[in-house]
Amino acid sequence: MDTTAQHSTVRERPQASTPRLTLSGISKSFPGVRALHDVSLSLYPGQVTALIGENGAGKSTLVKIMTGIYQPDAGAISIDGQAVTLPSAHAAFGHGITAIHQETVLFDDLSVAENIFLGHAPRTRFKTIDWRTMRKNAKEVLDTMGAGHIDADARLKDLGIANKHLVAVARAMSIDARIVIMDEPTAALSMKEIEELFLLIEFLKSEGKAILFISHKFDEIYRIADRYTVFRDGEMVGEGMIKDAGQSQIVRMMVGRSVDHIFPQRQAAIGATVLTVSGLSHPTEFDDIGFELHRGEILGFYGLVGAGRSEVMQAISGITRTAKGTITLEGKPIAPKSAADSIEAGIVYVPEERGKQGVVIGLPIFQNVSLPSLTRTSKSGILRLAEEFALARAFTERLDLRASSLSQDVGTLSGGNQQKIVIAKWLATAPKVIILDEPTKGIDIGSKAAVHGFMAELVAQGLSVIMVSSELPEILGMSDRVVVMREGRIASVYDNKELDAETLVRTAAGIAA
Amino acid sequence: MTDTPAPRHIPDRLDKPLSSAIFSWEALLVVVAIAIFAINSFASPYFLDPWSLSDLTFNFTEKALIAFAMALLIISGEIDLSVAAIIALASTMMGMAVQAGAGTPVLVAIGILVGLGCGAFNGLLVTRLGLPSIVVTIGTMSLFRGIAFIILGDQAYKGYPASFAFFGQGYVWWVVSFELVLFAVAAIIYWFVLHRTSFGRRVFAIGNNSIAAQFSGVRVDRIKFILFCLTGLMSGIASVLITSRLGSTRPSIAQGYELEAITMVVLGGVSILGGAGSILGVVLAAFIMGLVTFGLGLLNVPGIVMSIFIGLLLIIVIALPILWRRLRGGR
Amino acid sequence: ENVKIALVVKSLGNGFFDAANKGAEEAAKELGDVDIIYTGPTKATAEAQIEVVNSLIAQKVNAIAISANDADALVPALKKAMERGITVISWDSGVAPEGRQLHLNPSDTGLIGETIIKLAADYLPEGGDVAILSASSTATNQNAWIDAAKKILPEKFPKINLVATVYGDDDSAKSTDEAKGLLKSYPNLKAIIAPTTVGVVAAAQVVTDENLIGKVNVTGLALPSEFKKFIDNGSSQAVALWNPIDLGYSAVYLAHDLAVKKEEAKPGATLSIGRVGKVTLDDTNSAAMAPPFQFDKTNIEKFSKIY
Amino acid sequence: MKAFLKYREIWLLAAIAVLIGLISTRFPGFADPANLRQVFNDTSILMILALGQMVVILTRSIDLSMASNLCFTGMVVAMLNAALPAIPIPLLIVVALLVGLVLGAINGFLVWRLNIPSIVVTLGTLTIYRGATFVISGGAWVNADQMSPDFIGFQRAAFLGIPVLSWIALLVIALFFLLMTRTALGRSIYAIGVNPTASVYAGIDVGRTKFVVFCISGMIGGLAGYLWISRYVIASVEVANGYELNIIAACVIGGISIAGGIGSVGGAVLGALFLGIISNALPVINISPFWQMAISGSAIILAVVLNARGERRQGRIILKKAETA
Ligand SMILES: Nc1ncnc2c1ncn2[C@@H]1O[C@H](COP(=O)(O)OP(=O)(O)OP(=O)(O)O)[C@@H](O)[C@H]1O
Ligand SMILES: Nc1ncnc2c1ncn2[C@@H]1O[C@H](COP(=O)(O)OP(=O)(O)OP(=O)(O)O)[C@@H](O)[C@H]1O
Ligand SMILES: [Mg+2]
Ligand SMILES: [Mg+2]
């Protein structure tokens, strides 16, 4: 597989009407879960097909089947009309299938060039790795993508998240892929990076690649996709050209009912100051952060990815300890030294990295939910299971969790349903201030509405919410005020009444109006 | 807004098929234990004798005491290879105290406190400096025993008071030794702590995902520190027992106990990767190891051949459920 | 009903003890009504040996003859055996008096101490530096011999200068490191005395490798079959040992006589041991079998075929 | 220069230099090239073993059975040599490699096919292989007298003034260097350690790579088996008992992260040298034998603490000001 091949652009561009890849009758079950049942899907060269479905509908499972990581229980796969089997990820590469998976799947301690070429590095005459050519090719691939600013020799861990995404894409392109799959590539990105990604997708389209695009964001789907396929509960329930379908029609297909996602109308009843942060500083991450949060308020935090919002929130909630400055809760200064301290004080932080920081895979759902509230559900250190179940039931049903039982391991839930667990477990601690970091990252439209509705309800009860989000509509639709951060400092604070998207993006990027 | 349908009800538990209970780890261990017991009774006429069975328990009680604490530590994702060295150091300190004329209560206190101190030292290195425990305890393993060597050199301490002999040699009632009683009590305490308290729950949470546990308000470092202290404490107690049983101290005491304790824990179904395990499993594993070594001992099988059986047992017992699942799953 | 006698050794898989077992079987045949159980632990530790003793108690053997890994640690277990009516003797490496009825030393401790120094001194008429490479620092018998050697040194061998005692833990690699260390630290070293088989082989190999044959003499206690090569190549002039076959033979003989109450172990008693002769018990109920026997170029060929 | 200092190996090298310097103050001859050559030769076996262990640790696994493998294979070749002294040594080395390979493959197979954690598998085979040594030998030793002169002499023969043992070590180092930096397998080994999930997605067969890695450590164990036995001229069940921890300690001191993915051939070699120098020097600088264990224990702890400092992640820096500072 040589990387120069991609320069001979559109080599053979078959009729757009003949699919490049066809899946038919695919079924896949996990112990106790039927993830996919008799689904079919076609991808066409030079076209973007959007795969749409609720959390747990089976999208990622299908991706893993297409990339040879899972084997289907039944069904057939064909590429350019030829039946193929994909017994391993390597085999999928061989057929030109490549994917940007939902989870980060790169190698932090390896160089950019290695990340791009791992598994198919150029060889010398003696079959040893040819580092020179590899670096050269890596540069070329990055250049063609317009990502020439990334140093091919840099360690991946030294890159920002957006650049990491670019590396993932570069890897996909280096394989001379004919089929590119992107599973929620935009979930962790903010506007600017999403725009860059879309340019790339256009580029890939022009190269004649068949693209599968998975996202829960309809604006993106309408912008970039040519076709759509909808899954519900592991079954294919509809497909067609995107221009022929309206959003409500698609949503009805995917949820089985109509969901009109309008942000909840709230009567902002903003009260006294609850939390005051001033002069909060960290040697390398942020400097002189100061703001106030009121009772019944939703305070949005906007910024480009990597602006340092999460770091500030983690300092407020005692997880990062090296902060200078003062935090005052209800008039009393607090200095949390751990998450336990801040939870006790009444501030909870709902982290953004679900898999790493949010859920404890290996423990059942109810134990995950009760974990931060254990002091309440236990009596002098002795567990009371009935209380734990009651707590878990109350909060998971509220968020419309899809699970077969509360004793199920959270690891077997889909990404979006795991996110619901994450929100449920911290809400269950009955806090005064709740900090939500990217609360709806990767969750489907129905659940998103549930989360938003729930947030509105919380503030109506007198809680205060800080919501870190990179999603503009969410920021604009939910916040009372918005703090914009740039490079570790507060750039500006806006009242939502005077706000429009453009101002926010400009402030965040540091471009003068 | 959304037209919200009634939320789906999620049951607390699904009724598990009977087969999954039958093929649980503990059940497998019970079967293995019974099988070995039966084989032993057949193979040797001396096995089914109350005093033999009582002697048998001495083969595992001390190691099992350590194994209980080690089980918690391993469930939390850490490990302690220095336990045997802690025994040596604690025993040496007790020996020094005897030399200085200390009585039995003081000796016991010294043994336990030294164990606790060593455990705390491990715990500090691991939690404060964020070092991997397997590496730290390889180091402290040499350090602790090394200190015992520095103190004792080629000498031995003996002359423990007669009352001190009770802990490792005494019987509470008929053939029931003090060690066995202590083993049973410790098993119950550890079972309760691990499976019935919020502390135990947090240990499981840490083992499965320590970062998420930390974000959820679990004081991860504190709990890990406590677990290292507990392991040190149990090693200290084991040191009292073994010193009393041997009636003397040398720096080479309890050599190789760490691997036997860990084998017991793993055989008991505790995941070496952390996050899963039960005390019942460890108890059963302790009995199995005692039964195997004693049974083979009665047949005068050389010790080294016995260790082949233990090694095979370890791998087979762990492989069986995997193979079984694979056969049933058809893959 | 045969008399069951367990011959418990420090660890199985050691040529010395295998030879002792030969002697034990010989005694059993001679005595007629004896079954020998030859056993020992995985590792040469007291704890492991206690497990072995416990299983022997359960088997209701008539006598235990043990070469102990630790003089004190085994006492409680062996006491328990005696309480249950089992005759207990120690041989080779002893147990404290309260843990056994008698102890059969392979030879007189003082004599062994003297012999290991003499082996070196015989080939150093001018005198000079020597060093001791022992087994583990906790080995009872080795330590006793070394103490005896140190005691006798000033009076009998004034020209011999003992510069160091190091421990190789009966581990080839460690013994090799220590032997090399000795040669480096003491350039004038004339002899290395290793009263342990693993150590003596390691030292002789080091001397061979460093081309010091003729300059440094290796000596100590060694089984002829395992050491012949180094007598042959000259890295060692002579080593000594007692006859392990006789030792095993005697241990079983004594254990049998005590078990069937033919003899009684008390200070001053003289007990007969078949073809080996007679021994007399001292105040601690210990007896020495025979003086160490010396092997050199003249006789190693013959003995290496026997043990 | 700064980039240069980033490498852990440089620091380790400096530490070794300081160590040699310190020893020289108490024992002047220590830093002589002749003596250092000898130290290298004395450490060769540990270096070879550490390299074999390194590839295993890099994949987030561990091989506790290496010393037992060494013992078993050593016994096999010693018995072969005793029975059939005519077998030429190179052939015997091939036998050692093959026997080691089989033992390693057993570990690898259990890890790969049954998905049992490697620490459990090798904890089991640690006792099984040593027990098997007892079974095949009946507990008897093979001693110097039974070994052929070639068997003992091979590694001692000098070539260009350097013993064959050292040459073998150099060859193994070179091979591992090639393996780790120039081959796809080497890169896969790193990748698996850095991120196993991502490796699956990148088309690496994680299970099979682990199998291969255990085969490598097995072969190394086998090779070391012959070298060990012919060096110390006794084959017994007790050979290298407990040595697995020395091997791991060498890797750890050499900066190989027990969490996988981080470490280099140079690190493993230097880590082994560091331990080798300590065990070589302690006897010559007149330190009481009873202090040795505590000293090497402290050295390990110290090395880990220092390594951890180097490894501490430099978080990504958001503030511009701090970046330039
Ligand atoms: N390894 C697994 N073991 C058991 N069940 C699984 C596993 N992986 C996925 N599932 C189940 O399969 C179903 C489909 O999951 P999948 O991850 O494909 O959903 P998804 O459509 O990608 O959802 P999301 O939008 O949340 O990412 C879910 O019910 C999930 O719980
Ligand atoms: N260089 C990087 N390497 C790894 N992860 C990164 C990097 N930069 C950003 N990220 C990840 O991207 C996410 C956002 O980064 P960060 O928390 O620093 O900024 P933020 O302003 O809080 O952004 P967000 O609002 O998206 O959380 C986090 O999950 C963070 O771990
Ligand atoms: Mg998904
Ligand atoms: Mg963030």
Side-chain angles (χ1 to χ4, degrees):
Chain A
M1 267 164 272
D2 99 19
T3 49
T4 48
Q6 58 176 316
H7 294 292
S8 60
T9 34
V10 202
R11 270 149 304 152
E12 16 84 64
R13 193 167 184 172
Q15 297 295 304
S17 54
T18 58
R20 161 91 2 119
L21 172 121
T22 313
L23 302 170
S24 51
I26 301 277
S27 297
K28 173 78 185 173
S29 294
F30 297 105
V33 187
R34 196 187 66 177
L36 290 173
H37 179 69
D38 194 21
V39 298
S40 51
L41 173 79
S42 301
L43 302 181
Y44 296 85
Q47 295 196 6
V48 175
T49 305
L51 180 56
I52 307 169
E54 283 183 288
N55 295 130
K59 305 180 294 296
S60 299
T61 305
L62 191 74
V63 170
K64 288 177 188 160
I65 287 172
M66 290 164 75
T67 48
I69 291 157
Y70 289 163
Q71 298 308 306
D73 300 338
I77 306 169
S78 67
I79 295 176
D80 291 335
Q82 300 275 315
V84 296
T85 54
L86 303 172
S88 69
H90 206 80
F93 282 176
H95 290 295
I97 303 175
T98 177
I100 302 169
H101 289 273
Q102 194 171 5
E103 308 88 18
T104 351
V105 285
L106 291 169
F107 303 92
D108 265 343
D109 276 304
L110 302 186
S111 74
V112 168
E114 266 188 282
N115 266 285
I116 295 175
F117 283 103
L118 190 79
H120 57 278
R123 307 294 181 84
T124 64
R125 264 182 308 149
F126 310 107
K127 286 282 170 200
T128 58
I129 290 178
D130 184 347
W131 285 88
R132 278 236 323 267
T133 316
M134 185 162 114
R135 270 196 289 266
K136 198 177 94 239
N137 291 355
K139 274 203 191 81
E140 272 172 24
V141 181
L142 290 168
D143 280 341
T144 24
M145 289 171 28
H149 59 280
I150 299 177
D151 177 5
D153 289 327
R155 299 267 118 188
L156 192 78
K157 63 178 170 200
D158 298 331
L159 258 47
I161 185 78
N163 286 340
K164 283 187 183 176
H165 260 276
L166 291 177
V167 173
V169 178
R171 174 171 175 80
M173 307 216 354
S174 73
I175 294 174
D176 184 24
R178 296 182 300 161
I179 297 155
V180 179
I181 302 165
M182 301 188 181
D183 193 354
E184 297 192 41
T186 61
L189 300 185
S190 48
M191 281 285 276
K192 185 165 151 267
E193 289 106 18
I194 292 174
E195 286 306 320
E196 280 172 16
L197 185 73
F198 283 175
L199 284 179
L200 255 164
I201 294 178
E202 292 293 348
F203 172 72
L204 292 175
K205 266 170 83 166
S206 72
E207 296 251 298
K209 320 262 186 215
I211 298 165
L212 181 68
F213 182 83
I214 300 176
S215 175
H216 291 295
K217 300 180 191 166
F218 278 89
D219 51 339
E220 292 173 358
I221 290 168
Y222 276 93
R223 214 180 114 197
I224 201 78
D226 303 298
R227 298 171 165 272
Y228 70 88
T229 298
V230 181
F231 280 11
R232 185 169 78 220
D233 290 337
E235 292 180 35
M236 206 276 281
V237 292
E239 61 183 337
M241 300 303 288
I242 200 91
K243 62 178 190 300
D244 304 334
Q247 175 167 337
S248 55
Q249 188 191 343
I250 292 181
V251 169
R252 210 171 311 116
M253 272 187 239
M254 95 188 227
V255 192
R257 61 189 156 84
S258 68
V259 176
D260 210 0
H261 186 219
I262 301 168
F263 289 100
Q265 295 294 317
R266 296 192 291 120
Q267 291 303 33
I270 297 184
T273 306
V274 174
L275 179 77
T276 313
V277 174
S278 73
L280 204 64
S281 301
H282 182 282
T284 57
E285 306 296 309
F286 50 84
D287 191 34
D288 195 24
I289 303 294
F291 63 88
E292 289 191 342
L293 176 68
H294 303 98
R295 202 176 151 77
E297 182 183 38
I298 297 181
L299 180 62
F301 264 74
Y302 186 72
L304 300 185
V305 168
R309 293 164 297 170
S310 300
E311 278 71 14
V312 169
M313 299 309 151
Q314 289 173 12
I316 294 172
S317 48
I319 293 160
T320 320
R321 275 197 233 172
T322 42
K324 272 196 314 224
T326 59
I327 304 166
T328 316
L329 182 68
E330 292 180 331
K332 282 187 293 269
I334 55 167
K337 289 203 182 60
S338 68
D341 288 351
S342 77
I343 290 173
E344 231 162 78
I347 301 178
V348 305
Y349 171 71
V350 181
E352 66 178 325
E353 284 188 60
R354 177 179 62 223
K356 224 167 102 188
Q357 305 163 337
V359 287
V360 181
I361 289 176
L363 290 190
I365 293 171
F366 80 94
Q367 296 189 3
N368 262 280
V369 175
S370 65
L371 188 60
S373 315
L374 269 184
T375 35
R376 279 192 301 123
T377 59
S378 60
K379 196 174 174 189
S380 47
I382 297 168
L383 296 172
R384 289 186 299 181
L385 291 190
E387 301 240 339
E388 287 185 49
F389 277 118
L391 190 80
R393 206 177 307 118
F395 283 86
T396 51
E397 283 184 3
R398 186 73 187 73
L399 289 168
D400 196 17
L401 180 80
R402 302 294 159 86
S404 50
S405 93
L406 290 177
S407 304
Q408 187 183 345
D409 179 355
V410 286
T412 61
L413 294 178
S414 78
N417 279 310
Q418 289 182 7
Q419 181 66 19
K420 293 179 199 167
I421 303 285
V422 171
I423 297 181
K425 68 191 270 196
W426 273 286
L427 284 183
T429 61
K432 293 174 188 145
V433 173
I434 178 158
I435 304 172
L436 294 151
D437 199 346
E438 308 285 2
T440 58
K441 179 163 137 187
I443 75 175
D444 67 44
I445 186 164
S447 315
K448 210 177 228 177
V451 170
H452 289 152
F454 202 29
M455 276 166 70
E457 210 173 283
L458 290 173
V459 287
Q461 289 163 14
L463 247 76
S464 308
V465 173
I466 294 176
M467 180 186 69
V468 175
S469 172
S470 304
E471 235 183 285
L472 270 177
E474 189 173 52
I475 286 279
L476 291 170
M478 292 301 298
S479 327
D480 296 308
R481 288 184 303 139
V482 180
V483 177
V484 182
M485 280 187 66
R486 186 175 71 235
E487 289 172 359
R489 293 190 175 80
I490 289 185
S492 194
V493 182
Y494 296 102
D495 205 310
N496 199 1
K497 289 192 201 83
E498 56 190 77
L499 209 53
D500 61 280
E502 174 144 2
T503 323
L504 274 183
V505 176
R506 278 177 180 280
T507 319
I511 310 163
Chain B
M1 286 281 304
T2 315
D3 58 321
T4 346
R8 296 191 192 187
H9 177 76
I10 307 171
D12 288 353
R13 317 189 157 79
L14 291 181
D15 297 328
K16 277 196 194 144
L18 194 63
S19 67
S20 78
I22 290 177
F23 291 102
S24 77
W25 188 274
E26 287 80 4
L28 178 65
L29 291 181
V30 168
V31 171
V32 170
I34 291 176
I36 296 175
F37 195 90
I39 293 171
N40 279 351
S41 338
F42 264 108
S44 170
Y46 306 108
F47 181 73
L48 283 177
D49 171 287
W51 284 103
S52 292
L53 294 176
S54 166
D55 282 353
L56 180 160
T57 62
F58 285 97
N59 282 9
F60 64 79
T61 39
E62 291 145 7
K63 291 162 206 159
L65 286 177
I66 301 173
F68 292 144
M70 184 79 87
L72 265 61
L73 195 59
I74 290 180
I75 290 174
S76 83
E78 303 288 341
I79 199 164
D80 186 350
L81 294 176
S82 71
V83 287
I86 295 178
I87 293 182
L89 186 55
S91 184
T92 304
M93 295 297 178
M94 285 190 277
M96 282 175 82
V98 166
Q99 253 37 24
T104 300
V106 178
L107 290 182
V108 174
I110 287 180
I112 292 176
L113 286 179
V114 171
L116 197 61
C118 292
F121 183 70
N122 284 332
L124 277 182
L125 283 176
V126 171
T127 59
R128 275 295 147 88
L129 300 181
L131 305 175
S133 54
I134 185 164
V135 178
V136 166
T137 55
I138 284 179
T140 52
M141 175 176 170
S142 301
L143 181 63
F144 295 154
R145 204 181 278 280
I147 296 174
F149 267 104
I150 292 173
I151 295 171
L152 260 173
D154 55 3
Q155 302 300 302
Y157 284 137
K158 43 193 168 181
Y160 286 91
S163 59
F164 187 68
F166 175 75
F167 302 105
Q169 302 175 34
Y171 292 84
V172 172
W173 175 75
W174 191 41
V175 298
V176 180
S177 67
F178 175 76
E179 289 204 359
L180 188 61
V181 172
L182 200 59
F183 165 81
V185 171
I188 291 168
I189 293 176
Y190 274 90
W191 171 82
F192 188 81
V193 168
L194 182 61
H195 299 295
R196 286 289 176 271
T197 67
S198 52
F199 180 85
R201 171 67 59 71
R202 292 186 172 115
V203 170
F204 278 109
I206 292 172
N208 279 304
N209 185 345
S210 69
I211 297 179
Q214 187 203 345
F215 275 69
S216 306
V218 175
R219 297 177 202 273
V220 174
D221 281 352
R222 185 185 297 178
I223 288 183
K224 283 190 175 170
F225 179 74
I226 293 174
L227 291 179
F228 275 104
C229 289
L230 271 184
T231 310
L233 177 87
M234 295 313 278
S235 310
I237 293 175
S239 179
V240 171
L241 298 183
I242 193 169
T243 307
S244 154
R245 191 159 63 89
L246 302 184
S248 65
T249 297
R250 278 185 195 283
S252 59
I253 194 169
Q255 204 123 50
Y257 269 35
E258 63 279 335
L259 287 190
E260 289 187 46
I262 291 169
T263 305
M264 221 176 250
V265 171
V266 172
L267 187 61
V270 172
S271 160
I272 196 83
L273 308 173
S278 78
I279 292 297
L280 180 59
V282 178
V283 170
L284 288 168
F287 273 107
I288 288 178
M289 284 178 66
L291 283 169
V292 169
T293 52
F294 197 75
L296 293 174
L298 284 182
L299 303 177
N300 297 309
V301 173
I304 190 134
V305 177
M306 258 182 232
S307 67
I308 299 186
F309 280 87
I310 299 281
L312 282 177
L313 200 66
L314 182 70
I315 292 177
I316 290 172
V317 170
I318 289 185
L320 266 184
I322 297 171
L323 285 174
W324 172 255
R325 240 178 286 138
R326 204 162 288 178
L327 279 178
R328 301 229 341 201
R331 257 176 313 136
Chain C
E1 183 83 347
N2 278 358
V3 181
K4 279 194 286 185
I5 300 178
L7 191 71
V8 183
V9 300
K10 288 180 172 186
S11 70
L12 290 175
N14 181 324
F16 178 83
F17 292 121
D18 286 348
N21 185 33
K22 266 194 225 161
E25 292 293 350
E26 187 188 325
K29 209 178 276 161
E30 219 176 283
L31 291 163
D33 60 344
V34 172
D35 287 335
I36 299 290
I37 299 173
Y38 174 57
T39 180
T42 324
K43 281 168 286 182
T45 66
E47 293 89 333
Q49 232 173 1
I50 290 173
E51 289 187 9
V52 171
V53 168
N54 274 339
S55 76
L56 291 171
I57 295 174
Q59 292 175 60
K60 306 193 164 65
V61 295
N62 300 88
I64 293 174
I66 186 169
S67 168
N69 281 319
D70 188 312
D72 308 301
L74 277 148
V75 168
L78 292 175
K79 261 187 179 165
K80 186 163 80 182
M82 289 193 284
E83 279 160 19
R84 302 214 186 146
I86 297 172
T87 298
V88 177
I89 70 163
S90 59
W91 55 282
D92 179 48
S93 181
V95 174
E98 60 273 25
R100 42 81 177 164
Q101 281 154 275
L102 69 77
H103 172 59
L104 178 66
N105 263 317
S107 179
D108 179 66
T109 303
L111 199 56
I112 298 172
E114 183 176 337
T115 306
I116 57 177
I117 299 288
K118 185 168 171 293
L119 283 169
D122 282 353
Y123 299 91
L124 290 175
E126 313 283 270
D129 291 354
V130 304
I132 293 179
L133 170 64
S134 181
S136 90
S137 56
T138 57
T140 338
N141 43 357
Q142 254 94 2
N143 287 337
W145 302 331
I146 292 170
D147 280 345
K150 281 180 184 162
K151 222 173 276 162
I152 209 148
L153 210 51
E155 21 176 317
K156 286 213 175 161
F157 307 98
K159 281 192 278 184
I160 299 292
N161 178 24
L162 178 62
V163 291
T165 304
V166 296
Y167 300 87
D169 289 346
D170 266 351
D171 173 287
S172 318
K174 179 111 196 293
S175 304
T176 301
D177 277 347
E178 294 293 345
K180 285 191 170 174
L182 286 175
L183 294 176
K184 274 182 201 159
S185 319
Y186 305 99
N188 290 325
L189 202 66
K190 292 283 180 337
I192 297 177
I193 302 168
T196 155
T197 311
V198 175
V200 79
V201 169
Q205 185 65 43
V206 168
V207 165
T208 310
D209 288 349
E210 313 240 310
N211 294 322
L212 292 172
I213 294 178
K215 293 205 188 77
V216 179
N217 178 25
V218 175
T219 182
L221 304 175
L223 267 186
S225 57
E226 278 161 10
F227 200 67
K228 171 169 174 291
K229 173 164 186 271
F230 300 104
I231 299 270
D232 288 349
N233 80 5
S235 52
S236 171
Q237 299 291 342
V239 287
L241 198 68
W242 37 89
N243 186 329
I245 299 177
D246 285 357
L247 195 58
Y249 173 92
S250 311
V252 167
Y253 214 100
L254 288 171
H256 172 265
D257 285 0
L258 293 182
V260 300
K261 308 274 187 302
K262 203 172 128 193
E263 307 258 21
E264 202 184 335
K266 54 175 190 275
T270 299
L271 313 175
S272 85
I273 27 178
R275 65 168 169 78
V276 173
K278 281 187 176 25
V279 289
T280 306
L281 298 183
D282 66 9
D283 313 341
T284 60
N285 272 1
S286 319
M289 188 181 73
F293 190 81
Q294 195 164 326
F295 309 102
D296 54 26
K297 273 208 161 55
T298 59
N299 61 5
I300 187 108
E301 180 73 40
K302 184 175 116 212
F303 283 99
S304 71
K305 298 214 170 67
I306 306 175
Y307 54 85
Chain D
M1 185 63 193
K2 218 171 179 178
F4 192 60
L5 284 182
K6 224 173 54 188
Y7 291 103
R8 190 194 323 279
E9 289 79 8
I10 304 295
W11 287 102
L12 199 50
L13 205 58
I16 289 178
V18 169
L19 189 66
I20 292 177
L22 279 177
I23 297 166
S24 304
T25 60
R26 293 200 54 174
F27 182 77
F30 200 82
D32 290 352
N35 187 58
L36 291 182
R37 262 211 306 276
Q38 215 190 67
V39 171
F40 183 88
N41 196 52
D42 288 346
T43 317
S44 292
I45 295 178
L46 182 59
M47 281 192 280
I48 293 171
L49 287 166
L51 286 170
Q53 184 70 260
M54 176 191 73
V55 290
V56 178
I57 294 182
L58 280 177
T59 64
R60 298 197 179 178
S61 307
I62 199 158
D63 187 352
L64 295 174
S65 71
M66 271 187 114
S68 300
N69 176 338
L70 181 162
C71 173
F72 182 87
T73 312
M75 181 59 84
V76 170
V77 291
M79 286 170 64
L80 257 182
N81 179 256
L84 305 164
I87 300 180
I89 300 307
L91 191 60
L92 219 48
I93 293 181
V94 172
V95 171
L97 287 169
L98 287 179
V99 173
L101 176 67
V102 170
L103 300 189
I106 292 173
N107 289 333
F109 183 82
L110 291 169
V111 170
W112 176 25
R113 279 299 147 110
L114 296 189
N115 237 323
I116 309 176
S118 58
I119 189 168
V120 176
V121 168
T122 56
L123 191 61
T125 52
L126 159 92
T127 59
I128 294 175
Y129 294 165
R130 201 170 280 280
T133 314
F134 182 87
V135 172
I136 60 163
S137 67
W141 298 10
V142 178
N143 51 54
D145 223 33
Q146 295 164 269
M147 299 174 191
S148 71
D150 278 352
F151 185 87
I152 297 171
F154 180 73
Q155 62 162 280
R156 294 174 163 82
F159 176 69
L160 300 178
I162 293 176
V164 168
L165 177 61
S166 295
W167 283 113
I168 293 179
L170 289 171
L171 179 71
V172 171
I173 293 170
L175 283 178
F176 270 86
F177 187 76
L178 271 184
L179 171 75
M180 296 318 290
T181 61
R182 290 296 136 115
T183 68
L185 176 62
R187 301 325 290 172
S188 306
I189 289 172
Y190 276 112
I192 288 174
V194 171
N195 189 342
T197 330
S199 304
V200 175
Y201 289 178
I204 296 170
D205 192 333
V206 174
R208 215 183 53 197
T209 309
K210 285 194 177 172
F211 174 75
V212 172
V213 156
F214 276 98
C215 289
I216 293 175
S217 77
M219 274 165 71
I220 287 293
L223 174 66
Y226 163 69
L227 295 175
W228 185 288
I229 299 304
S230 62
R231 179 166 180 74
Y232 300 119
V233 298
I234 287 186
S236 80
V237 179
E238 289 285 304
V239 158
N241 206 349
Y243 206 67
E244 54 276 344
L245 291 184
N246 291 35
I247 304 169
I248 294 168
C251 288
V252 164
I253 292 176
I256 289 148
S257 163
I258 218 87
I262 303 173
S264 69
V265 171
V269 169
L270 291 175
L273 262 181
F274 188 89
L275 272 190
I277 289 174
I278 289 190
S279 60
N280 239 282
L282 285 180
V284 302
I285 53 177
N286 263 328
I287 287 188
S288 150
F290 303 112
W291 280 79
Q292 294 184 9
M293 196 178 232
I295 289 176
S296 51
S298 312
I300 293 173
I301 296 174
L302 208 67
V304 184
V305 172
L306 293 179
N307 266 333
R309 306 231 119 187
E311 217 171 281
R312 190 150 296 174
R313 299 234 157 152
Q314 287 283 308
R316 127 199 83 99
I317 294 165
I318 294 175
L319 286 173
K320 279 275 148 59
K321 175 187 71 186
E323 217 161 351
T324 50

